[in-house]
Every structure is written in C-alpha cells, then in structure tokens.
C-alpha cells in the first residue's frame, strides 16, 4: 500500500480528535478498563460511541498522537482497501492503539479481530458496533479474548450534567428506595428537576440533540431508518421485504405501546406468521428500538411472546407517534431507566417487578396503593412531585441510576 493512500485516514482521525470536546463524559467512560488488549463497545446509533473513542484518544495520547488511530469502517476508503492494510501500516509505523468504529460494516469482522489479536499481540484494539452485534458467537470466537461493554443512551442524571444544570452522583436503586426523601431534598436545593424532565423526555436520551434541537425528531427518524436498512442487514441474513415489515411493525406499535399485545391481530396487519413476527419483535429490541417485558424467564433458544411492549425510550415516542399520552411516557421512562443494570419482568399485580423483588406502580400525583396495597416491597413511582414520602417516590429519581 502506498503511504499517500493512508494519509487521508490519519488526517481524518487528527481532525476529529482535535474538535472533540472533553468537558462531558458519558457514564461508561470511567467504567472501561482501557488498558485491556481488546475492548468492544456495543450500543444503539446516536448514543455517543464515536465520541467516547475520540475523547479517549484526545486525553490519553495528547503527548504521543502518532500511537493512536481512529478509523470508521463506513469510510468510503474501505470500499477499495482492507482494514488489515491499515493495521499493518499503523503497527509498523509505531502505532500502539487502534480505535475502530462501526465494525458491523465490515464483512467477517469477528475473524478479522481474532487475526489481529493473534498477529499483533501487543496492539491495543478498541472497537464499537451496533447493539445488535452477537459478539459472543460466530466464527471468530472473540468471547474469551476481550472485554465487552454496552453504552446506553443518556440518563436523566447525565442530561442535567450535559445541560450544565447539575452534576449529580449516580445512586444505587436500593439507596433511592431507602433514602429518596433525603436525596430529593438535596437535589431540589440545587435544581428544579421537574422543569427539565419534560425536555429530557422529548430529546435528552441521544446526545446529538445538541446539534439541532428543533430538527431532532427528523434526525432521529433518519437514525431509525439507518438502523433498519443498513445495520440490520449487516448483522442478520434478512430480506428487504422482512426489513420493510419490521419497519411497519415499529410504526404500528409506536401508536399503541405500552400494551399487552394481541399478537394475532398484529401478525395479520403485517401479513406474516407467528414465528416471523416474534423474530421481528426481538430484532427491534436488539436494535434498541423496542423493549419487551415478559413474565416468563427468557431463553436464548426460545423466544417467548412478550406480555407488554414498550418503545425503548421516550424520545422515540415523540419522534414516531403523533399522539403521545403522558401515562405512556411515564411507563416508558421508568422501564428505560431501570433496564440498565436491573432485571425487569411483568408482574401479576402492578406495572413492573424489578430484580424479582421490588414491585412498582407508575402514575401521576393521584396514584394510590390500591392495586398493590398488601404486597411487600411495593412502591409508587409518582410523576409531578419533587419529593416523596414513605413508599411514594418521585418518578424523576429513577433517572439518577446511572
């Protein structure tokens, strides 16, 4: 490979690193063991994976920029060149770290990464990919060779920090359940949280809202189309017709979630069968567009019919649905924030069972304990209040978990 042909990649890397701000870091940044030889970071489009890589390069290689290179595999350069060429050149010219973005765009990526680990054992590799990647399976068998992390969208806590409003710590769920009154009073003394919650619900989950808040919904719709029509076929052997039906399913559900679905009616609208319909539902969940709540324990070998279907986060509701109901927004927010680091299931009573122990009802100011009055470890997550008491906990506080 001629040296001139790769100079453009280095210029692009340098330019992107130079213009990346480091004043705000996502929650995952400090949790990553950056010294590991191979690191994989999964996550939905738009949650900040690229920025995470560029920030790491900017901060860790300020005195030795030639040692680190950022490349995105959706760069047109890779239409006529291979990643192996880049790795060989970078390594032989003193490179010690390579940061690879959009790995799902590269055919045979698992085998390639395995070969890099075998042939360049002292080269550090950090890569990002779609939330749909099956990193623990496939011909490359990378599961024993790497550390894998998942980056979720911004929590309400992170949104407050990103906006420069308040820099709050993350709280464990048990701490909130036991000490929510004290914590709420401390937070309320710093910021009027309810004044910012509505903005977060509409556009605060995806950091890219900062670039164009007014056009955020249209940009998010474009991201969704990219996920369905580019990322999905990159990780699954799937026909165009199935992708089109999957998009149609998402739009149908966006108008009605959360719901206990009549699956036969849904399959009828899509002109598909049960097996294909269930597969499409779980593809949308892997794409971080839906969240499926079930009373049964899931199995990797058998996909169970969900008992309740949610959009993944409230921002998707405002971008996809013309009629957003506040009760729906509350449940989607609670489900989304609790899903990070906790196990949620669909209970016989109440709205959510968390970690097999804590039962929650979600609602507005007038929500009562009538439905879960005699259930141990039961709580209300109440919208529209700054502070709570007893087992009535402000809904916004569940946005402080990460």
């Amino acid at each position: 490979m001629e040296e001139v042909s790769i100079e453009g990649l280095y210029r692009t890397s340098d330019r992107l690193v130079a213009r990346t701000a480091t004043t705000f870091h996502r929650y995952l940044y400090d949790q990553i063991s950056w010294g590991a030889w191979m690191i994989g970071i999964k996550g939905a489009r738009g949650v900040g994976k690229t920025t995470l890589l560029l920030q790491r390069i900017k901060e860790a290689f300020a005195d030795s920029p030639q040692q680190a290179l950022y490349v995105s595999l959706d760069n047109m350069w890779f239409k006529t060149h291979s990643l192996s060429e880049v790795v060989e050149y970078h390594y032989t010219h003193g490179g010690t770290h390579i940061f690879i973005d959009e790995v799902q765009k590269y055919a045979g990526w698992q085998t390639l990464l395995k070969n890099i680990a075998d042939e360049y054992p002292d080269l550090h590799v950090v890569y990002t990919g779609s939330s749909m990647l099956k990193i623990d399976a496939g011909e490359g068998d990378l599961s024993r060779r790497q550390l894998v992390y998942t980056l979720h969208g911004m929590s309400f806590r992170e949104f407050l920090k990103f906006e420069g409003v308040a820099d709050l710590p993350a709280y464990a769920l048990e701490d909130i359940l036991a000490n929510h009154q004290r914590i709420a009073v401390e937070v309320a003394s710093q910021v009027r949280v309810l004044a910012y919650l509505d903005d977060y619900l509409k556009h605060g989950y995806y950091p890219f809202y900062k670039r164009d808040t007014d056009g955020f919904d249209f940009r998010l719709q474009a991201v969704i189309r990219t996920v369905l029509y580019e990322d999905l076929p990159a990780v699954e052997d799937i026909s165009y017709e199935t992708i089109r039906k999957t998009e149609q399913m998402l739009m149908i559900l966006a108008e009605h979630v959360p719901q206990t679905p009549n699956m036969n009616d849904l399959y009828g609208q899509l002109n598909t069968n049960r097996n294909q319909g269930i597969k499409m539902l779980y593809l949308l969940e892997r794409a971080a567009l839906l969240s499926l709540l079930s009373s049964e324990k899931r199995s990797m070998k058998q996909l169970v019919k969900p008992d309740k279907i949610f959009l993944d986060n409230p921002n998707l509701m405002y971008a996809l649905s013309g009629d957003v109901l506040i009760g729906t927004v509350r449940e989607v927010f609670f489900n989304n924030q609790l899903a990070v680091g906790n196990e949620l299931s669909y209970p016989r009573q109440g709205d959510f069972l968390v970690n097999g122990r804590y039962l929650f009802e979600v609602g507005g100011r007038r929500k009562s304990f009538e439905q879960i009055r005699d259930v141990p470890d039961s709580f209300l997550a109440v919208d529209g209040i700054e502070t709570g008491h007893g087992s009535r906990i402000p809904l916004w506080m569940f946005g402080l978990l990460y």
Side-chain angles (χ1 to χ4, degrees):
M1 176 179 55
E2 296 181 4
E3 186 169 335
V4 67
S5 69
I6 201 171
E7 287 181 356
L9 293 181
Y10 279 91
R11 285 196 300 271
T12 298
S13 177
D14 292 342
R15 183 165 57 248
L16 292 174
V17 169
R19 72 187 208 189
T20 296
T22 57
T23 52
F24 170 79
H25 292 90
R26 293 299 318 283
Y27 74 96
L28 190 64
Y29 189 90
D30 292 327
Q31 297 178 16
I32 295 173
S33 296
W34 291 106
W37 291 108
M38 184 167 288
I39 298 168
I41 303 172
K42 296 170 56 176
R45 275 193 175 270
V47 296
K49 301 187 299 296
T50 299
T51 300
L52 202 70
L53 301 191
L54 296 172
Q55 287 178 330
R56 177 60 184 174
I57 295 173
K58 188 168 189 173
E59 296 183 331
F61 299 94
D63 297 328
S64 52
Q66 73 283 354
Q67 292 183 358
L69 173 66
Y70 165 87
V71 293
S72 177
L73 295 182
D74 63 0
N75 190 313
M76 292 296 291
W77 191 88
F78 290 101
K79 297 295 183 183
T80 54
H81 298 84
S82 72
L83 181 58
S84 298
E85 293 177 73
V86 179
V87 172
E88 173 68 15
Y89 182 90
H90 186 57
Y91 182 79
T92 56
H93 286 72
T96 58
H97 292 70
I98 187 165
F99 295 77
I100 305 168
D101 213 356
E102 303 279 9
V103 74
Q104 76 276 0
K105 297 286 189 178
Y106 202 87
W109 62 270
Q110 293 213 44
T111 298
L112 177 62
L113 291 179
K114 175 183 177 297
N115 291 341
I116 292 174
D118 290 340
E119 298 168 15
Y120 306 90
D122 53 348
L123 178 67
H124 292 261
V125 178
V126 183
Y127 71 90
T128 74
S130 164
S131 59
M132 293 180 282
L133 288 184
K134 297 177 180 177
I135 291 177
D136 57 350
E139 56 182 319
D141 188 21
L142 289 169
S143 58
R144 297 184 300 275
R145 297 169 175 263
Q146 63 182 326
L147 296 177
V148 180
Y149 300 88
T150 298
L151 180 64
H152 300 272
M154 288 202 301
S155 66
F156 181 50
R157 180 192 72 84
E158 289 184 291
F159 174 73
L160 293 174
K161 183 176 180 180
F162 197 38
E163 285 290 294
V165 174
D167 188 357
L168 306 174
Y171 292 93
L173 175 60
E174 287 73 14
D175 197 9
I176 289 177
L177 298 183
N179 304 299
H180 65 88
Q181 289 178 267
R182 173 184 59 78
I183 296 170
V185 169
E186 291 175 358
V187 173
S189 68
Q190 302 178 53
V191 57
R192 296 171 58 192
V193 287
L194 297 181
Y196 291 94
L197 183 60
D198 189 55
D199 285 343
Y200 171 78
L201 296 173
K202 291 178 179 176
H203 59 242
Y205 189 72
Y206 299 93
F208 64 76
Y209 79 87
K210 278 277 193 182
R211 301 175 205 165
D212 183 13
T213 302
D214 292 336
F216 174 78
D217 287 352
F218 294 104
R219 179 159 184 180
L220 183 52
Q221 291 171 15
V223 167
I224 293 167
R225 287 191 292 272
T226 300
V227 170
L228 294 176
Y229 286 94
E230 295 184 23
D231 295 345
L232 184 52
V235 299
E236 291 286 334
D237 183 11
I238 190 169
S239 69
Y240 177 84
E241 179 63 17
T242 300
I243 294 173
R244 189 190 64 77
K245 287 184 178 181
T246 303
E247 181 181 32
Q248 185 182 358
M249 173 182 278
L250 177 65
M251 296 309 299
I252 291 171
L253 292 172
E255 296 293 334
H256 300 96
V257 296
Q259 61 168 294
T260 302
N262 184 321
M263 303 305 291
N264 289 331
D265 285 352
L266 180 60
Y267 302 153
Q269 290 184 67
L270 296 169
N271 192 27
T272 192
N273 59 40
R274 177 191 181 279
N275 290 339
Q276 187 71 358
I278 289 287
K279 179 181 178 181
M280 288 190 290
L281 278 174
Y282 278 87
L283 284 174
L284 287 169
E285 185 183 48
R286 283 173 53 203
L289 297 174
L290 290 183
S291 178
L292 310 179
L293 205 62
S294 302
S295 56
E296 300 179 48
K297 190 165 183 66
R298 295 197 190 185
S299 166
M300 293 300 292
K301 296 181 179 179
Q302 183 177 5
L303 302 179
V304 300
K305 180 182 81 68
D307 291 292
K308 209 164 188 179
I309 300 174
F310 300 88
L311 287 178
D312 179 77
N313 63 80
N315 292 183
L316 291 172
M317 295 184 62
Y318 285 97
L320 296 178
S321 177
D323 184 18
V324 178
L325 302 177
I326 186 60
T328 302
V329 172
R330 291 165 180 157
E331 288 191 43
V332 171
F333 170 77
F334 183 91
N335 180 72
N336 173 259
Q337 301 289 283
L338 269 290
V340 179
N342 297 285
E343 183 179 322
L344 278 67
S345 57
Y346 187 68
R348 294 180 179 178
Q349 294 174 266
D351 293 324
F352 299 91
L353 182 63
V354 180
N355 299 330
R357 175 181 177 182
Y358 305 114
L359 185 67
F360 288 91
E361 275 275 334
V362 179
R365 287 172 173 267
R366 297 182 181 179
K367 190 70 176 179
S368 73
F369 275 98
E370 183 175 346
Q371 291 179 282
I372 55 174
R373 184 184 307 278
D374 300 320
V375 181
D377 292 320
S378 59
F379 302 87
L380 296 184
V382 183
D383 190 21
I385 61 173
E386 266 194 348
T387 59
H389 64 274
S391 295
R392 291 175 59 87
I393 304 174
L395 178 62
W396 64 264
M397 295 194 71
F398 296 99
L400 306 181
L401 293 171
Y402 71 91

